Amino acid sequence: MIHFILNEKEIKTDLPPGMVVLDFVRYHQNLKGTKIGCREGDCGACTVLVGSFTPNSSPNGEGRLSYRSVTSCLMPIGNANGKHIVTIEGINFEKELNPIQQAISDEGATQCGFCTPGFVMSLAGHCLSDKEATEENAIACIDGNICRCTGYKSIERAAIKVNDLLSDKKVNVASEFVSKENILPKYFSSIERRLQSLNANAAALPITQSTDQSITKLGGGTDLYVQKHDAMTHAGIKFLFDDNSLKRISKEGNRCVMGASTTVTELCESTIISQFFPEFSKYAKLVSSTPIRNMATLAGNFVNASPIGDFTVFFLALNAVLILSDGDSKREVPLRKFYKAYKVLDKKPEEFIEKIYFELPSANSKFNFEKVSKRTHLDIASVNTSMKITIDGNKVLEASISAGGVGPIPMLLTKASAFLSGKIVSGEIIEEAIRIAQTEISPISDARGSEEYKRLLLAQLIKAHFIEIFE
């Protein structure tokens, strides 16, 4: 039995946990304000808010209630267990527009109205967010919403108008603030208490059974549900997204250890990551959108085995190591050896990624990530690449360059990396490293570019690494 709060209503359901929240709210709760758009997490028409407890964020160990925007077309109801799911109906006032809706109306930020509920929900998420109430963050919160009718400037003006309501917001009591200030309905102030009670009595979510008894281990599902939406509804699933033992980011000696279910957003919020990778948030903005980053997990990115997986390429350059578990025994596999061929992994069916670790960069190490896609944001890479380089002045002590989109698997360019070791950086040395890298790759012509274009991109992006690191 799945148990959660939907708007103000407590829900218990024995429907298949693999069913997505979008279908549940529309077809089983008759809440039609959440729209069906792309069903791939791109358009944001189905955006809802998810309130859950962030573990270990308070002295009593109970955590703190926080809200994230997600695309409900990719979220299984199994991942809603013990949480607060908020649709557009859940933020409506009885007889008038709420201030977010009023701002949209005042600024003429809607035409056909199909996308409007998604924009309103994302802005409501900004009001409930742990982030500072700035105009930049207000506009960033709608980066996962697409409008095909109106001009975005009117939507931006509405976002800024909403942000102006938040000048006195305290992030640790955001749900109380929005209730008190009549930004969102009064019931939000009671949700933390209700969720604590619900979670205290809720049973662990069972594994569902499929007819062939196969089990899919599921994190955020942001790619799996795009590929296999119908099949996942009735699949046998082991839900890993909310397993707190798979969530933490910690520093152990000189290692950074990350749980497999760590999301991209959690990486962005990690003080460890920001300390050693000050530009990480800039890199993350090149990857998907806010709602997807709130759902997408590291292990999901790795196991999906896309040749252009952005964070696969990121952590390849850091020589990350995976800890695999079958429930009884564990083993370690370097990420660079995890990919044996296209979509073929060094992983047994019963194994799952439990943790990922890598050695933290030293004081004389530099890191850079580059990506080119047809759109700068919200798009799959044509080519992406990372470089970690340890230097003494202009001398390279050690280098590690990874690349995606240039072969059947994400690649560590071992020959080009080895060539750079011991060299004094110069234009000639960089050109020779690029020439060697060209011998290691085997791009194909496809919808994201021709073979020649991808070879040119990799060359230019390797130059970009050196420009960024050596200014």
Side-chain angles (χ1 to χ4, degrees), residues 19 47 57 104 113 156 161 164 200 203 249 271 307 314 333 366 384 387 389 419 421:
M19 175 186 293
T47 301
S57 58
I104 293 278
E156 288 183 6
K161 197 167 189 175
D164 290 341
I249 303 173
T271 55
F314 187 99
V333 178
K366 306 291 183 181
N384 50 17
M387 182 170 78
I389 188 167
F419 166 78
S421 180

Side-chain angles (χ1 to χ4, degrees), residues 236-252:
I237 300 174
K238 183 179 179 67
F239 292 89
L240 302 176
F241 184 81
D242 292 309
D243 187 335
N244 286 336
S245 68
L246 303 179
K247 279 283 188 186
R248 294 175 178 82
I249 303 173
S250 60
K251 184 175 181 290
E252 299 177 10

Side-chain angles (χ1 to χ4, degrees), residues 32-106:
K32 299 297 176 67
T34 305
K35 303 303 183 185
I36 297 174
C38 64
R39 279 198 182 272
E40 294 187 354
D42 283 341
C43 72
C46 70
T47 301
V48 300
L49 301 182
V50 178
S52 60
F53 286 106
T54 304
N56 300 323
S57 58
S58 63
N60 60 16
E62 293 179 349
R64 175 174 49 81
L65 179 62
S66 62
Y67 283 86
R68 311 273 197 206
S69 60
V70 306
T71 51
S72 60
C73 68
L74 301 180
M75 180 184 179
I77 58 173
N79 281 349
N81 194 49
K83 299 176 183 176
H84 183 210
I85 306 300
V86 189
T87 69
I88 188 73
E89 293 84 357
I91 66 169
N92 287 339
F93 289 173
E94 287 187 12
K95 297 181 180 179
E96 59 188 1
L97 298 178
N98 70 37
I100 302 168
Q101 296 163 330
Q102 191 64 57
I104 293 278
S105 175
D106 291 346

Side-chain angles (χ1 to χ4, degrees), residues 7-8 86-103 120-121 124 127 165 175-189:
N7 299 327
E8 290 189 78
V86 189
T87 69
I88 188 73
E89 293 84 357
I91 66 169
N92 287 339
F93 289 173
E94 287 187 12
K95 297 181 180 179
E96 59 188 1
L97 298 178
N98 70 37
I100 302 168
Q101 296 163 330
Q102 191 64 57
V120 171
M121 294 309 296
C127 296
L165 303 170
S175 57
E176 294 180 15
F177 174 83
V178 296
S179 298
K180 180 181 177 182
E181 298 297 319
N182 291 317
I183 297 171
L184 296 178
K186 296 291 187 185
Y187 80 86
F188 271 86
S189 63

Side-chain angles (χ1 to χ4, degrees), residues 90-145:
I91 66 169
N92 287 339
F93 289 173
E94 287 187 12
K95 297 181 180 179
E96 59 188 1
L97 298 178
N98 70 37
I100 302 168
Q101 296 163 330
Q102 191 64 57
I104 293 278
S105 175
D106 291 346
E107 297 299 331
T110 184
Q111 285 189 25
C112 83
F114 186 85
C115 69
T116 304
F119 277 99
V120 171
M121 294 309 296
S122 290
L123 288 168
H126 175 63
C127 296
L128 289 162
S129 171
D130 294 341
K131 293 183 177 179
E132 186 181 357
T134 65
E135 292 183 2
E136 181 182 6
N137 285 337
I139 293 171
C141 83
I142 54 176
D143 63 7
N145 298 92

Side-chain angles (χ1 to χ4, degrees), residues 217 322-333 347-348 350-355:
K217 298 174 181 67
L322 311 180
I323 299 177
L324 300 178
S325 173
D326 61 9
D328 295 317
S329 60
K330 301 178 184 181
R331 66 188 181 99
E332 295 189 358
V333 178
K347 185 183 83 68
K348 300 171 185 175
E350 64 272 18
E351 289 181 318
F352 64 95
I353 300 175
E354 187 177 82
K355 293 180 181 178

